[in-house]
Amino acid sequence: MELIVYLAGQIHDNWREEIVNKARDKKLLLKFVGPQTNHDRSDDIGEAVLGKQPSNYYKDDAASSINNFRTQVLMQKSDVVIALFGEKYKQWNTAMDASTAIALNKPTIIIRPENLIHPLKELSNKANVTVETVDQAIEVLSYIYE
Amino acid sequence: MELIVYLAGQIHDNWREEIVNKARDKKLLLKFVGPQTNHDRSDDIGEAVLGKQPSNYYKDDAASSINNFRTQVLMQKSDVVIALFGEKYKQWNTAMDASTAIALNKPTIIIRPENLIHPLKELSNKANVTVETVDQAIEVLSYIYE
Amino acid sequence: MELIVYLAGQIHDNWREEIVNKARDKKLLLKFVGPQTNHDRSDDIGEAVLGKQPSNYYKDDAASSINNFRTQVLMQKSDVVIALFGEKYKQWNTAMDASTAIALNKPTIIIRPENLIHPLKELSNKANVTVETVDQAIEVLSYIYE
Amino acid sequence: MELIVYLAGQIHDNWREEIVNKARDKKLLLKFVGPQTNHDRSDDIGEAVLGKQPSNYYKDDAASSINNFRTQVLMQKSDVVIALFGEKYKQWNTAMDASTAIALNKPTIIIRPENLIHPLKELSNKANVTVETVDQAIEVLSYIYE
Amino acid sequence: MELIVYLAGQIHDNWREEIVNKARDKKLLLKFVGPQTNHDRSDDIGEAVLGKQPSNYYKDDAASSINNFRTQVLMQKSDVVIALFGEKYKQWNTAMDASTAIALNKPTIIIRPENLIHPLKELSNKANVTVETVDQAIEVLSYIYE
Amino acid sequence: MELIVYLAGQIHDNWREEIVNKARDKKLLLKFVGPQTNHDRSDDIGEAVLGKQPSNYYKDDAASSINNFRTQVLMQKSDVVIALFGEKYKQWNTAMDASTAIALNKPTIIIRPENLIHPLKELSNKANVTVETVDQAIEVLSYIYE
Amino acid sequence: MELIVYLAGQIHDNWREEIVNKARDKKLLLKFVGPQTNHDRSDDIGEAVLGKQPSNYYKDDAASSINNFRTQVLMQKSDVVIALFGEKYKQWNTAMDASTAIALNKPTIIIRPENLIHPLKELSNKANVTVETVDQAIEVLSYIYE
Amino acid sequence: MELIVYLAGQIHDNWREEIVNKARDKKLLLKFVGPQTNHDRSDDIGEAVLGKQPSNYYKDDAASSINNFRTQVLMQKSDVVIALFGEKYKQWNTAMDASTAIALNKPTIIIRPENLIHPLKELSNKANVTVETVDQAIEVLSYIYE
């Protein structure tokens, strides 16, 4: 049974590629989707489609509408959501995607480093599982197929 | 028609009191609810109820389960959610509460300072209205009754 | 049993006042809510709250976010929706409110003049009842209490 | 991942064909569905199935029931809805389909010319993305697959 | 705790009055609602509101739209549905109301005579409780308050 | 796009076979499912699985639980429901299945003879389309693919 | 703000009375509802309403239908569910009520003795909060009002 | 039409293998999924993924979060749920899975021995069908395809 996994979270390193490769190595029947990971493209997509905006505020609103469209399409097709929080940045999109997934009853795994335990405690408590590494998340996915 | 408003967000200043007072001054028929605003009490509630936990990780998980219980009870009774983001802190609970409210179709207002426009752009785009000040939020609430 | 009725539709004449008065004359236990009926206030509410916008496009988007917030709050509290289409204007808000109400399983009455039968035929078919006059709508509301 | 796109909106020009062709040129994995685009067939389908009706009013009601049946079947199968508003006509069906899609949490794109910004402002605000041209809508669809 | 009970079913005898009186005698905190019980009024309501229709077929469709509106309003306000089937008539409205209530997760009691056991077996199996007399239905309602 | 159609209604003639054949002749991409059409098997399935019951009442309840299980499985997989009412019998299962389908937002077609217009008027009004013959229902299904 | 609390679980001691009294002592604005706590009445209610059944199996099925009716009515009115597991008995009704409450998004507290930690671990993990004593549950309820 | 069946319940004998084999013998188009059936693996999965926990209580909570994740993923993909109760053990997970399935409108079959009739009576009454043997459950599944 193929499952679709939405990979929410930071786009500043290659953790998605790592998950995809490890799932392939374990021959898990998983298809992965996620947000636009080119940061500039993600920030500029509003103006790329709608044209020059009057200021950064409007540029951001235009970009976010298209990013939200993409996320909504792909998350609705997903069976599982994994949300990774990194050491840096505010990462409110990650919190938003994880919270939305939980509210929509999507089974959800959070990956976060140890030093984020406290600020993420309520969100972790609502997610199904919270782990610290990509390898642990793969183990949880793998467990579905045992 | 009385409406119940859940006030999500930071608990480090008195913005809730300010909203409650201004709504009373305008004689708006609003009842306000929200999270535990005593920060220590919020962090300690798990051990206060369940007893000493083996480490901070488990203390946090115990506290978060009771805080999430409280939030779920009160948000389900609410007609409107206001979420305020301040200048500091990670505020993932605020993002979680706002995202959950939106996913549950609760009409939602975000209050955030100008310098958070960019990191909050996707969440702002999903909320009904995003403003910068408590006074603006009160104006939006007041508009319901015009 | 008191019922709350949302009055969607054009804001260019006093049809809401007429319904409210006739319901009062018949002593129907109804409370009426609806959109902002001051047209200028409705168009200007965005800038009134959020400040001057760069152009009419952004002024409109700001206003619409607050108007949609108001409508969502009040429609969710309503037991019945009445949507009136007049002879003039595009009235897409009326169509939007009626369609949303129907999709949310709110019992819905449409009032429209005879010459709009054809362009409104699909929406009329989805509504519970379509009538031509305010008096007929009052008769339908009154029938609930017989 | 193949996605199904419902193309709501006017049936007086070939914009659907244009979208289908451009999506094919870009090799997007999309399947398109939509309403009956033969205007006479759409107006006559009620009498074609149910026989001669007593007047245009009943002819319209008969046709609309079958058109609504078709739309409900196809929109429920769709992952995305695009609604195009043209320069002319009342187009309440387009507003109805877009509003229904949004209420059902279908990710929704609106295409409308610049001069319809004001009358469509509330509906645009509720849709995920609003653009002015078919090419822009294709760019948004294409962005899902980047 | 007051509960609202929708009394679906035949309108050819005074069983509703009997239930209301017996509930009052037992001092149960219940409010009862139900369909129009004046059969002629129920059949004529369409023409009463919308005017003379071209034939009985259209007269029936007009009446049913207003009867369905009334039922939808009142059933949505109800906590419990009781549906009584009598010895005669097709009573498809009763079956429709009971089935709708069950699909909407309204706790449902069916009252039917012994000789209707077989034709109603699937519907009885889906209802919470099936009894043969009004007194038994009152006993079940009364049990809520024990 | 293949659609699944649940054929609810009487099992005393071969109308299902007629629909299946006509859909095949028109090369419509439809798969048909429906209830057990062997009447004795349908009545006896409870005792066949659960063993001899104390009386007809319990035999009926046992059978209905398994028939309802089957219907729930197959209707949940369906995109469209067609419910046919014949001239005879009480057919409350047909009314139950059609009402359940409508409450679950399944697009629904009712087929009923002219002399059942009056007793079925409220249910017909809630269905998407009501026709008198199998051929008309096939025309409506066929219209989806035009 | 008054909240309604459903008290699911064993009926073999007076834990409900204890909760009610302690909530009253703390002046918490809570109303408590729950199952029939007279064990014999609960087992006999089916025959009391429906008459003598052919065997214990049918007696049990009759009773359970009325008990389930009562639970569904009262749980749907509740804002919070508390489920208490005692040392003895199978208590599958308690597990059923807690699981149903969680699936319906009712905020849920489980009370269970220490030696039931292992067999209840999956259910505890899905509940909002799990405690060992009535006093702890009261503390959690009290925390809502701080 | 292939259906997916979730097999909830005890993991202490080979009843799942028996069902799978009998379904294959009857050439039923069924795919079976279920919980981790290696009891030790199920109890240890938390520590296997998250590392050594401070005590059995935390070990259990860690394991249950991953087991619940697995169950949620697989049950959401399922069309039918079968829950088997054996003679021994508390089996609250079985009761939890069956109750959750019923609350989510999954068609549900319970298998339980005769001596569990009384303690399972309310849950049996809510399930679609309750049988005593694996063979009977297979007969019910087989009936879908007749």
Side-chain angles (χ1 to χ4, degrees), chain G residues 59-126:
Chain G
K59 175 187 171 184
D60 276 355
D61 191 48
S64 65
S65 70
I66 298 175
N67 287 322
N68 283 340
F69 170 80
R70 178 188 165 122
T71 303
Q72 189 178 338
V73 171
L74 295 177
M75 197 184 282
Q76 288 183 351
K77 301 295 281 187
S78 300
D79 302 301
V80 171
V81 172
I82 296 180
L84 181 142
F85 289 84
E87 301 274 354
K88 290 183 293 186
Y89 312 105
K90 294 202 174 289
Q91 306 180 89
W92 284 322
N93 276 9
T94 315
M96 176 181 83
D97 288 347
S99 304
T100 303
I102 292 164
L104 298 177
N105 283 320
K106 301 279 178 187
T108 301
I109 300 170
I110 287 175
I111 309 175
R112 56 104 186 81
E114 196 182 355
N115 62 330
L116 294 187
I117 289 175
H118 188 68
L120 275 173
K121 67 182 193 293
E122 270 82 18
L123 189 51
S124 286
N125 179 265
K126 291 176 82 168

Side-chain angles (χ1 to χ4, degrees), chain G residues 27-62:
Chain G
K27 300 192 194 312
L28 302 177
L29 209 52
L30 298 170
K31 175 176 288 182
F32 294 95
V33 294
Q36 172 58 256
T37 55
N38 179 326
H39 199 188
D40 287 347
R41 176 69 171 152
S42 168
D43 278 358
D44 297 342
I45 183 64
E47 292 197 335
V49 171
L50 294 165
K52 183 69 181 168
Q53 299 296 307
S55 76
N56 278 349
Y57 169 81
Y58 299 100
K59 175 187 171 184
D60 276 355
D61 191 48

Side-chain angles (χ1 to χ4, degrees), chain D residues 29-111:
Chain D
L29 209 51
L30 297 170
K31 174 176 289 181
F32 294 95
V33 294
Q36 172 59 256
T37 53
N38 178 326
H39 199 192
D40 288 346
R41 177 66 173 156
S42 169
D43 278 358
D44 297 342
I45 183 64
E47 293 197 334
V49 171
L50 294 165
K52 184 69 182 167
Q53 299 296 307
S55 76
N56 278 350
Y57 170 81
Y58 300 100
K59 175 187 172 186
D60 275 355
D61 191 47
S64 65
S65 69
I66 298 175
N67 287 322
N68 283 341
F69 170 81
R70 177 187 167 124
T71 303
Q72 189 177 338
V73 171
L74 294 178
M75 199 185 280
Q76 288 184 350
K77 303 294 281 187
S78 299
D79 303 300
V80 171
V81 172
I82 297 179
L84 181 143
F85 288 84
E87 302 274 355
K88 291 183 291 186
Y89 311 106
K90 297 204 174 285
Q91 307 180 88
W92 285 322
N93 276 8
T94 314
M96 176 181 81
D97 288 347
S99 304
T100 302
I102 292 165
L104 298 176
N105 284 321
K106 301 280 179 187
T108 302
I109 300 169
I110 288 175
I111 308 174

Side-chain angles (χ1 to χ4, degrees), chain A residues 24-92:
Chain A
R24 190 188 304 122
D25 291 350
K26 283 175 169 268
K27 299 190 193 316
L28 302 178
L29 209 51
L30 298 170
K31 174 176 288 182
F32 294 95
V33 294
Q36 171 59 254
T37 55
N38 179 326
H39 199 191
D40 287 347
R41 177 67 171 154
S42 169
D43 277 358
D44 298 341
I45 183 65
E47 293 197 333
V49 171
L50 295 166
K52 183 71 181 166
Q53 301 295 306
S55 76
N56 279 348
Y57 170 80
Y58 300 99
K59 175 187 171 185
D60 276 354
D61 191 48
S64 65
S65 71
I66 298 176
N67 287 321
N68 283 340
F69 170 80
R70 178 187 165 123
T71 303
Q72 188 177 338
V73 171
L74 294 178
M75 198 185 281
Q76 287 184 350
K77 301 297 280 187
S78 299
D79 303 300
V80 170
V81 172
I82 296 180
L84 181 143
F85 289 84
E87 302 274 355
K88 292 183 291 188
Y89 312 105
K90 296 204 175 286
Q91 307 179 86
W92 284 322

Side-chain angles (χ1 to χ4, degrees), chain C residues 8-143:
Chain C
Q10 69 170 31
I11 58 178
H12 305 85
D13 61 19
N14 68 342
W15 71 276
R16 284 182 184 78
E17 196 180 335
E18 193 186 337
I19 280 197
V20 173
N21 289 339
K22 287 180 169 163
R24 190 189 305 122
D25 291 350
K26 284 175 168 269
K27 301 191 192 312
L28 302 178
L29 208 52
L30 297 170
K31 174 176 289 180
F32 294 94
V33 293
Q36 173 58 258
T37 54
N38 179 326
H39 199 190
D40 287 346
R41 176 68 172 155
S42 168
D43 277 358
D44 297 342
I45 183 64
E47 293 197 333
V49 171
L50 294 165
K52 183 71 181 166
Q53 300 295 306
S55 75
N56 278 349
Y57 170 81
Y58 299 100
K59 175 186 171 185
D60 276 354
D61 191 46
S64 64
S65 70
I66 298 175
N67 288 321
N68 283 340
F69 171 80
R70 176 187 167 122
T71 303
Q72 190 178 337
V73 172
L74 295 178
M75 198 186 279
Q76 288 183 352
K77 302 295 280 187
S78 299
D79 302 301
V80 170
V81 173
I82 296 180
L84 180 142
F85 289 85
E87 301 274 355
K88 291 183 291 186
Y89 311 107
K90 294 203 175 286
Q91 307 181 87
W92 283 322
N93 277 8
T94 314
M96 176 182 81
D97 289 346
S99 304
T100 302
I102 292 164
L104 298 176
N105 283 320
K106 301 278 180 189
T108 301
I109 300 169
I110 288 175
I111 309 175
R112 55 104 188 81
E114 195 182 356
N115 63 328
L116 294 186
I117 289 176
H118 187 68
L120 276 172
K121 68 182 192 294
E122 270 82 19
L123 189 50
S124 287
N125 179 265
K126 290 176 84 169
N128 291 67
V129 185
T130 299
V131 298
E132 291 186 15
T133 68
V134 160
D135 281 338
Q136 289 173 312
I138 286 284
E139 280 184 79
V140 176
L141 291 177
S142 180
Y143 184 68

